[in-house]
Amino acid sequence: MLRLAVLSARGRLGAFTGALVALFAAAVLSMAWGMQLESILRAHPPVERYASAAAVVTGQQKAGVDHDVLLGERARVSSALAARLAAVPGVRSAIGDVSVPAELGDRAAVAHGWSSAALTPYVLSAGRPPAGPDEVVAGYPATLGARLTLAATGPTPGPAIPSPSRRRSS
């Protein structure tokens, strides 16, 4: 088989060189596309939720013996960390953000505790902060006072929180 390929290449050197260059270009383009696809799948959009936080503390996002396996979702840290960070001299406040995957109506959503609203750049445009466990603030097209169906899509998190924030006084 190799003998036939060599004889063919010797007889049609231009066609063989063109095919080799085309094969090399296809391999380069495939690798470039694959690298872009991997970076799209692993990259995270800018974190707008924590826009007013001076610092955000998260868990290690890599696992494995060589720390070469990237985690697909945010690693959790202990909820006791927020209290420990608040006790550090110079820290004005430490706010823990507990989030739970949920569905609001027919849309996928992430439910956060109201205490972490201070970290966001968002403000209430109507209504008031929630006063009880049966009230929510939604960035969802709903009329004020409407009854919404909020359903958890997974188990509630234990005593861990994804990202406590550390704010220093100026």
Side-chain angles (χ1 to χ4, degrees), residues 81-138:
L81 186 58
R84 287 179 42 208
L85 289 173
V88 173
V91 174
R92 185 175 43 179
S93 66
I95 302 169
D97 182 20
V98 177
S99 63
V100 177
E103 288 183 8
L104 183 58
D106 60 348
R107 295 183 184 187
V110 179
H112 297 271
W114 180 251
S115 62
S116 65
L119 300 173
T120 69
Y122 311 114
V123 295
L124 285 175
S125 58
R128 59 173 172 70
D134 59 341
E135 295 181 349
V136 297
V137 172

Short mmCIF file of all heavy atoms in Angstrom, two decimals, residues 81-138:
data_model
loop_
_atom_site.label_atom_id
_atom_site.label_comp_id
_atom_site.label_asym_id
_atom_site.label_seq_id
_atom_site.Cartn_x
_atom_site.Cartn_y
_atom_site.Cartn_z
N LEU A 81 -17.39 30.66 56.64
CA LEU A 81 -16.36 31.56 56.13
C LEU A 81 -16.82 33.02 56.13
O LEU A 81 -16.02 33.91 56.38
CB LEU A 81 -15.95 31.13 54.72
CG LEU A 81 -14.78 31.87 54.10
CD1 LEU A 81 -13.54 31.74 54.97
CD2 LEU A 81 -14.50 31.35 52.71
N ALA A 82 -18.09 33.28 55.87
CA ALA A 82 -18.59 34.66 55.87
C ALA A 82 -18.41 35.30 57.24
O ALA A 82 -17.97 36.45 57.35
CB ALA A 82 -20.05 34.70 55.45
N ALA A 83 -18.71 34.57 58.30
CA ALA A 83 -18.53 35.10 59.66
C ALA A 83 -17.05 35.31 59.97
O ALA A 83 -16.68 36.32 60.59
CB ALA A 83 -19.15 34.16 60.68
N ARG A 84 -16.20 34.40 59.52
CA ARG A 84 -14.76 34.55 59.76
C ARG A 84 -14.20 35.75 59.00
O ARG A 84 -13.36 36.49 59.51
CB ARG A 84 -14.03 33.29 59.35
CG ARG A 84 -14.25 32.14 60.32
CD ARG A 84 -13.55 30.86 59.93
NE ARG A 84 -12.21 31.04 59.45
CZ ARG A 84 -11.62 30.20 58.59
NH1 ARG A 84 -12.28 29.15 58.14
NH2 ARG A 84 -10.38 30.41 58.21
N LEU A 85 -14.67 35.97 57.77
CA LEU A 85 -14.22 37.12 56.99
C LEU A 85 -14.70 38.43 57.59
O LEU A 85 -14.00 39.44 57.58
CB LEU A 85 -14.69 37.01 55.54
CG LEU A 85 -14.01 35.94 54.70
CD1 LEU A 85 -14.69 35.83 53.35
CD2 LEU A 85 -12.54 36.23 54.54
N ALA A 86 -15.92 38.44 58.13
CA ALA A 86 -16.45 39.66 58.75
C ALA A 86 -15.64 40.05 59.99
O ALA A 86 -15.58 41.23 60.34
CB ALA A 86 -17.91 39.46 59.13
N ALA A 87 -15.00 39.08 60.62
CA ALA A 87 -14.21 39.35 61.82
C ALA A 87 -12.81 39.87 61.50
O ALA A 87 -12.09 40.31 62.40
CB ALA A 87 -14.11 38.08 62.67
N VAL A 88 -12.39 39.84 60.25
CA VAL A 88 -11.06 40.32 59.87
C VAL A 88 -11.01 41.84 60.00
O VAL A 88 -11.93 42.54 59.54
CB VAL A 88 -10.73 39.89 58.42
CG1 VAL A 88 -9.44 40.52 57.93
CG2 VAL A 88 -10.67 38.38 58.31
N PRO A 89 -9.97 42.40 60.64
CA PRO A 89 -9.88 43.86 60.77
C PRO A 89 -9.87 44.54 59.40
O PRO A 89 -9.19 44.08 58.48
CB PRO A 89 -8.53 44.06 61.48
CG PRO A 89 -8.25 42.77 62.16
CD PRO A 89 -8.86 41.70 61.31
N GLY A 90 -10.63 45.60 59.27
CA GLY A 90 -10.73 46.36 58.02
C GLY A 90 -11.84 45.91 57.10
O GLY A 90 -12.13 46.57 56.12
N VAL A 91 -12.48 44.81 57.42
CA VAL A 91 -13.59 44.33 56.59
C VAL A 91 -14.87 44.94 57.12
O VAL A 91 -15.22 44.77 58.29
CB VAL A 91 -13.67 42.79 56.60
CG1 VAL A 91 -14.90 42.31 55.87
CG2 VAL A 91 -12.43 42.20 55.98
N ARG A 92 -15.55 45.69 56.28
CA ARG A 92 -16.79 46.35 56.69
C ARG A 92 -17.93 45.36 56.83
O ARG A 92 -18.71 45.41 57.78
CB ARG A 92 -17.14 47.44 55.67
CG ARG A 92 -18.36 48.25 56.07
CD ARG A 92 -18.61 49.38 55.12
NE ARG A 92 -18.45 48.92 53.74
CZ ARG A 92 -18.63 49.67 52.69
NH1 ARG A 92 -18.95 50.92 52.83
NH2 ARG A 92 -18.46 49.18 51.48
N SER A 93 -18.07 44.45 55.86
CA SER A 93 -19.11 43.43 55.94
C SER A 93 -18.74 42.26 55.03
O SER A 93 -18.00 42.42 54.07
CB SER A 93 -20.48 44.00 55.52
OG SER A 93 -20.45 44.34 54.15
N ALA A 94 -19.24 41.11 55.38
CA ALA A 94 -19.07 39.91 54.56
C ALA A 94 -20.47 39.34 54.32
O ALA A 94 -21.19 39.06 55.26
CB ALA A 94 -18.18 38.90 55.26
N ILE A 95 -20.83 39.21 53.07
CA ILE A 95 -22.18 38.78 52.71
C ILE A 95 -22.08 37.44 51.99
O ILE A 95 -21.40 37.33 50.97
CB ILE A 95 -22.86 39.83 51.81
CG1 ILE A 95 -22.92 41.16 52.52
CG2 ILE A 95 -24.24 39.36 51.40
CD1 ILE A 95 -23.33 42.31 51.63
N GLY A 96 -22.75 36.44 52.53
CA GLY A 96 -22.78 35.14 51.88
C GLY A 96 -23.90 35.08 50.86
O GLY A 96 -24.99 35.59 51.09
N ASP A 97 -23.62 34.47 49.73
CA ASP A 97 -24.63 34.34 48.68
C ASP A 97 -24.98 32.87 48.52
O ASP A 97 -24.19 32.08 48.02
CB ASP A 97 -24.11 34.90 47.36
CG ASP A 97 -25.14 34.83 46.25
OD1 ASP A 97 -26.34 34.71 46.56
OD2 ASP A 97 -24.75 34.89 45.08
N VAL A 98 -26.16 32.49 48.98
CA VAL A 98 -26.65 31.12 48.81
C VAL A 98 -27.51 31.10 47.56
O VAL A 98 -28.45 31.87 47.43
CB VAL A 98 -27.48 30.68 50.04
CG1 VAL A 98 -28.03 29.29 49.84
CG2 VAL A 98 -26.63 30.74 51.30
N SER A 99 -27.16 30.23 46.62
CA SER A 99 -27.94 30.15 45.38
C SER A 99 -28.42 28.73 45.17
O SER A 99 -27.76 27.77 45.55
CB SER A 99 -27.10 30.62 44.19
OG SER A 99 -25.99 29.78 44.01
N VAL A 100 -29.60 28.63 44.56
CA VAL A 100 -30.23 27.34 44.29
C VAL A 100 -30.76 27.37 42.86
O VAL A 100 -31.46 28.32 42.49
CB VAL A 100 -31.40 27.08 45.27
CG1 VAL A 100 -32.10 25.78 44.96
CG2 VAL A 100 -30.92 27.11 46.70
N PRO A 101 -30.45 26.36 42.04
CA PRO A 101 -31.05 26.32 40.70
C PRO A 101 -32.56 26.13 40.82
O PRO A 101 -33.03 25.38 41.67
CB PRO A 101 -30.39 25.12 40.02
CG PRO A 101 -29.65 24.40 41.09
CD PRO A 101 -29.57 25.26 42.30
N ALA A 102 -33.31 26.86 40.01
CA ALA A 102 -34.77 26.82 40.10
C ALA A 102 -35.38 27.07 38.73
O ALA A 102 -34.68 27.35 37.76
CB ALA A 102 -35.25 27.87 41.10
N GLU A 103 -36.69 26.97 38.68
CA GLU A 103 -37.45 27.34 37.49
C GLU A 103 -38.49 28.36 37.91
O GLU A 103 -39.21 28.16 38.89
CB GLU A 103 -38.13 26.13 36.87
CG GLU A 103 -37.17 25.19 36.20
CD GLU A 103 -37.87 24.01 35.53
OE1 GLU A 103 -39.11 24.01 35.46
OE2 GLU A 103 -37.16 23.10 35.08
N LEU A 104 -38.56 29.45 37.19
CA LEU A 104 -39.54 30.49 37.45
C LEU A 104 -40.46 30.53 36.23
O LEU A 104 -40.04 30.96 35.16
CB LEU A 104 -38.86 31.84 37.67
CG LEU A 104 -39.76 33.02 38.02
CD1 LEU A 104 -40.56 32.73 39.27
CD2 LEU A 104 -38.93 34.27 38.21
N GLY A 105 -41.67 30.04 36.42
CA GLY A 105 -42.55 29.86 35.27
C GLY A 105 -41.98 28.75 34.42
O GLY A 105 -41.73 27.66 34.90
N ASP A 106 -41.70 29.05 33.16
CA ASP A 106 -41.11 28.04 32.27
C ASP A 106 -39.65 28.32 31.96
O ASP A 106 -39.08 27.75 31.06
CB ASP A 106 -41.92 27.94 30.98
CG ASP A 106 -41.96 29.26 30.22
OD1 ASP A 106 -41.56 30.29 30.80
OD2 ASP A 106 -42.38 29.27 29.05
N ARG A 107 -39.03 29.23 32.73
CA ARG A 107 -37.63 29.60 32.49
C ARG A 107 -36.72 29.07 33.58
O ARG A 107 -37.09 29.02 34.74
CB ARG A 107 -37.49 31.13 32.47
CG ARG A 107 -38.21 31.79 31.34
CD ARG A 107 -37.95 33.26 31.38
NE ARG A 107 -38.71 33.94 30.35
CZ ARG A 107 -38.57 35.21 30.07
NH1 ARG A 107 -37.75 35.95 30.76
NH2 ARG A 107 -39.28 35.75 29.11
N ALA A 108 -35.50 28.72 33.18
CA ALA A 108 -34.49 28.32 34.16
C ALA A 108 -34.03 29.57 34.89
O ALA A 108 -33.89 30.64 34.30
CB ALA A 108 -33.31 27.65 33.46
N ALA A 109 -33.83 29.46 36.19
CA ALA A 109 -33.41 30.60 37.00
C ALA A 109 -32.50 30.12 38.11
O ALA A 109 -32.31 28.92 38.30
CB ALA A 109 -34.64 31.29 37.60
N VAL A 110 -31.92 31.06 38.81
CA VAL A 110 -31.12 30.77 40.00
C VAL A 110 -31.69 31.63 41.11
O VAL A 110 -31.77 32.85 40.99
CB VAL A 110 -29.63 31.10 39.77
CG1 VAL A 110 -28.83 30.82 41.04
CG2 VAL A 110 -29.08 30.29 38.62
N ALA A 111 -32.12 31.00 42.18
CA ALA A 111 -32.70 31.72 43.32
C ALA A 111 -31.58 32.06 44.31
O ALA A 111 -30.75 31.21 44.62
CB ALA A 111 -33.76 30.87 44.00
N HIS A 112 -31.54 33.31 44.74
CA HIS A 112 -30.54 33.79 45.69
C HIS A 112 -31.26 34.32 46.93
O HIS A 112 -32.38 34.81 46.84
CB HIS A 112 -29.72 34.94 45.10
CG HIS A 112 -28.92 34.55 43.90
ND1 HIS A 112 -27.64 34.06 44.01
CD2 HIS A 112 -29.21 34.57 42.59
CE1 HIS A 112 -27.18 33.80 42.80
NE2 HIS A 112 -28.12 34.11 41.92
N GLY A 113 -30.58 34.28 48.05
CA GLY A 113 -31.13 34.89 49.26
C GLY A 113 -31.16 36.40 49.14
O GLY A 113 -30.31 37.00 48.47
N TRP A 114 -32.13 37.05 49.76
CA TRP A 114 -32.28 38.49 49.64
C TRP A 114 -31.10 39.24 50.26
O TRP A 114 -30.74 40.33 49.83
CB TRP A 114 -33.59 38.95 50.28
CG TRP A 114 -33.76 40.43 50.17
CD1 TRP A 114 -33.68 41.35 51.16
CD2 TRP A 114 -33.99 41.18 48.97
NE1 TRP A 114 -33.86 42.62 50.68
CE2 TRP A 114 -34.05 42.54 49.32
CE3 TRP A 114 -34.16 40.84 47.63
CZ2 TRP A 114 -34.27 43.55 48.39
CZ3 TRP A 114 -34.38 41.84 46.71
CH2 TRP A 114 -34.42 43.18 47.09
N SER A 115 -30.44 38.65 51.24
CA SER A 115 -29.32 39.35 51.89
C SER A 115 -28.19 39.64 50.90
O SER A 115 -27.44 40.59 51.08
CB SER A 115 -28.79 38.52 53.05
OG SER A 115 -28.29 37.29 52.58
N SER A 116 -28.07 38.86 49.83
CA SER A 116 -27.00 39.10 48.86
C SER A 116 -27.37 40.14 47.81
O SER A 116 -26.57 40.44 46.93
CB SER A 116 -26.61 37.79 48.18
OG SER A 116 -27.68 37.30 47.41
N ALA A 117 -28.56 40.72 47.90
CA ALA A 117 -28.96 41.75 46.92
C ALA A 117 -28.08 42.99 47.02
O ALA A 117 -27.93 43.72 46.04
CB ALA A 117 -30.42 42.14 47.15
N ALA A 118 -27.45 43.22 48.17
CA ALA A 118 -26.56 44.37 48.33
C ALA A 118 -25.33 44.26 47.44
O ALA A 118 -24.67 45.27 47.16
CB ALA A 118 -26.14 44.49 49.79
N LEU A 119 -25.00 43.08 46.98
CA LEU A 119 -23.82 42.88 46.13
C LEU A 119 -24.08 43.23 44.67
O LEU A 119 -23.16 43.42 43.91
CB LEU A 119 -23.37 41.42 46.20
CG LEU A 119 -23.00 40.88 47.56
CD1 LEU A 119 -22.76 39.39 47.49
CD2 LEU A 119 -21.78 41.60 48.08
N THR A 120 -25.33 43.30 44.29
CA THR A 120 -25.68 43.44 42.88
C THR A 120 -25.80 44.90 42.46
O THR A 120 -26.02 45.78 43.30
CB THR A 120 -27.01 42.74 42.58
OG1 THR A 120 -28.06 43.46 43.21
CG2 THR A 120 -27.01 41.31 43.06
N PRO A 121 -25.71 45.16 41.17
CA PRO A 121 -25.92 46.53 40.68
C PRO A 121 -27.40 46.82 40.43
O PRO A 121 -27.75 47.90 39.98
CB PRO A 121 -25.14 46.55 39.37
CG PRO A 121 -25.22 45.15 38.87
CD PRO A 121 -25.21 44.29 40.11
N TYR A 122 -28.28 45.87 40.74
CA TYR A 122 -29.70 46.00 40.43
C TYR A 122 -30.43 46.70 41.58
O TYR A 122 -30.04 46.60 42.74
CB TYR A 122 -30.33 44.63 40.19
CG TYR A 122 -29.53 43.80 39.21
CD1 TYR A 122 -28.90 42.63 39.61
CD2 TYR A 122 -29.39 44.19 37.89
CE1 TYR A 122 -28.16 41.88 38.73
CE2 TYR A 122 -28.65 43.45 37.00
CZ TYR A 122 -28.04 42.29 37.42
OH TYR A 122 -27.30 41.55 36.54
N VAL A 123 -31.50 47.40 41.24
CA VAL A 123 -32.36 48.06 42.24
C VAL A 123 -33.80 47.65 41.98
O VAL A 123 -34.16 47.28 40.86
CB VAL A 123 -32.23 49.61 42.19
CG1 VAL A 123 -30.83 50.04 42.57
CG2 VAL A 123 -32.57 50.13 40.81
N LEU A 124 -34.62 47.73 43.01
CA LEU A 124 -36.05 47.46 42.84
C LEU A 124 -36.68 48.59 42.04
O LEU A 124 -36.53 49.76 42.38
CB LEU A 124 -36.74 47.34 44.19
CG LEU A 124 -36.49 46.07 44.98
CD1 LEU A 124 -37.15 46.16 46.35
CD2 LEU A 124 -37.00 44.87 44.24
N SER A 125 -37.37 48.25 40.98
CA SER A 125 -38.05 49.28 40.19
C SER A 125 -39.49 49.46 40.66
O SER A 125 -40.10 50.48 40.38
CB SER A 125 -38.02 48.92 38.71
OG SER A 125 -38.63 47.67 38.50
N ALA A 126 -40.02 48.48 41.38
CA ALA A 126 -41.38 48.56 41.92
C ALA A 126 -41.47 47.59 43.08
O ALA A 126 -40.72 46.63 43.17
CB ALA A 126 -42.41 48.21 40.85
N GLY A 127 -42.41 47.84 43.96
CA GLY A 127 -42.62 46.94 45.09
C GLY A 127 -41.68 47.20 46.25
O GLY A 127 -41.14 48.28 46.39
N ARG A 128 -41.46 46.17 47.05
CA ARG A 128 -40.64 46.28 48.26
C ARG A 128 -39.83 45.00 48.42
O ARG A 128 -40.12 43.99 47.76
CB ARG A 128 -41.53 46.51 49.46
CG ARG A 128 -42.53 45.38 49.67
CD ARG A 128 -43.31 45.50 50.97
NE ARG A 128 -44.37 44.53 51.05
CZ ARG A 128 -44.21 43.22 51.20
NH1 ARG A 128 -43.02 42.71 51.30
NH2 ARG A 128 -45.25 42.41 51.27
N PRO A 129 -38.85 45.00 49.30
CA PRO A 129 -38.11 43.76 49.54
C PRO A 129 -39.02 42.68 50.11
O PRO A 129 -40.03 42.99 50.75
CB PRO A 129 -37.06 44.17 50.59
CG PRO A 129 -36.94 45.65 50.46
CD PRO A 129 -38.28 46.14 50.01
N PRO A 130 -38.70 41.42 49.90
CA PRO A 130 -39.55 40.35 50.42
C PRO A 130 -39.58 40.38 51.94
O PRO A 130 -38.56 40.59 52.59
CB PRO A 130 -38.89 39.07 49.89
CG PRO A 130 -37.53 39.46 49.49
CD PRO A 130 -37.55 40.90 49.17
N ALA A 131 -40.77 40.16 52.51
CA ALA A 131 -40.93 40.20 53.97
C ALA A 131 -41.14 38.82 54.56
O ALA A 131 -41.11 38.67 55.78
CB ALA A 131 -42.12 41.10 54.32
N GLY A 132 -41.34 37.81 53.76
CA GLY A 132 -41.58 36.47 54.28
C GLY A 132 -41.06 35.42 53.33
O GLY A 132 -40.65 35.71 52.21
N PRO A 133 -41.10 34.16 53.76
CA PRO A 133 -40.58 33.08 52.92
C PRO A 133 -41.42 32.80 51.68
O PRO A 133 -40.97 32.12 50.77
CB PRO A 133 -40.57 31.86 53.85
CG PRO A 133 -41.59 32.17 54.89
CD PRO A 133 -41.60 33.67 55.05
N ASP A 134 -42.62 33.34 51.62
CA ASP A 134 -43.48 33.12 50.45
C ASP A 134 -43.44 34.29 49.47
O ASP A 134 -44.27 34.38 48.58
CB ASP A 134 -44.92 32.85 50.90
CG ASP A 134 -45.50 34.02 51.69
OD1 ASP A 134 -44.72 34.84 52.21
OD2 ASP A 134 -46.74 34.09 51.79
N GLU A 135 -42.47 35.19 49.62
CA GLU A 135 -42.35 36.34 48.73
C GLU A 135 -41.00 36.31 48.02
O GLU A 135 -40.00 35.90 48.60
CB GLU A 135 -42.48 37.64 49.52
CG GLU A 135 -43.84 37.84 50.13
CD GLU A 135 -43.94 39.17 50.88
OE1 GLU A 135 -42.91 39.83 51.10
OE2 GLU A 135 -45.05 39.51 51.24
N VAL A 136 -41.00 36.73 46.76
CA VAL A 136 -39.77 36.79 45.97
C VAL A 136 -39.71 38.10 45.22
O VAL A 136 -40.72 38.76 44.99
CB VAL A 136 -39.67 35.63 44.95
CG1 VAL A 136 -39.61 34.29 45.65
CG2 VAL A 136 -40.78 35.67 43.94
N VAL A 137 -38.51 38.48 44.84
CA VAL A 137 -38.30 39.58 43.93
C VAL A 137 -37.82 38.94 42.64
O VAL A 137 -36.89 38.14 42.64
CB VAL A 137 -37.23 40.56 44.46
CG1 VAL A 137 -36.87 41.59 43.42
CG2 VAL A 137 -37.71 41.22 45.73
N ALA A 138 -38.47 39.26 41.54
CA ALA A 138 -38.15 38.60 40.28
C ALA A 138 -37.76 39.63 39.23
O ALA A 138 -38.38 40.67 39.09
CB ALA A 138 -39.36 37.80 39.79
#
